Amino acid sequence: MAGSCDCSELQADQQAQFDLLSQVIQNYEKKDSNLIQILHMAQAIFPYLSDDVLHFIGEEMDLPLSKIHGVVSFYSYFETRPHGRHTIQVCLGTACYVRGGTKVLDNLKKTLNIEVGETSTDGRFTLEVKRCFGSCGLAPAVAIDNVIHKRVNANKLQEILNQYP
Ligand code: FES
């Protein structure tokens, strides 16, 4: 049935992901120095590094969870929360900042009811900040899924968001 959850299929998928991660970990010595590499592999297997995934890595590698959390929170490229279907990046480089980038960001936070780094509750958008796309003549600029929208203002925002279901 459309829209229903086939939970058994979902669980089987997840089990396959954990099995794969387990195989990956077995290829490494249980050493702290291998943790970053394993986390990279885990992030390639799972959409993000959930608590369950971090627990699993800790158990398989005999490492305390605090150690794993420490590494994950130190490096910004590790995702610990689900990502939205679309990624909005607001430029706050000098040109965009001067020409209203912060207003655009505030507007997006309010409209989506999220802070930077968060995902809207409908799973549609994740909000991020960047420092210059190299399109300063188009300031303030916003990229959605790497497509740059130029000279964005509050009026244009809703129209732009509507293009991303
Ligand atoms: S400062 Fe925003 S694109 Fe360069």
Side-chain angles (χ1 to χ4, degrees), residues 7 9 18-19 42 59 79 89 92 136 138 140 143-144 149 162:
C7 296
E9 211 169 281
F18 277 106
D19 289 347
E59 277 179 13
E79 303 267 359
Q89 296 173 316
L92 289 185
C136 312
L138 309 175
I144 304 185
H149 297 268
N162 288 345

Side-chain angles (χ1 to χ4, degrees), residues 90-97 130-142 148:
V90 179
C91 178
L92 289 185
T94 307
C96 290
Y97 183 88
K130 287 281 159 183
R131 304 268 166 215
C132 194
F133 304 128
S135 305
C136 312
L138 309 175
V142 169
I148 297 189

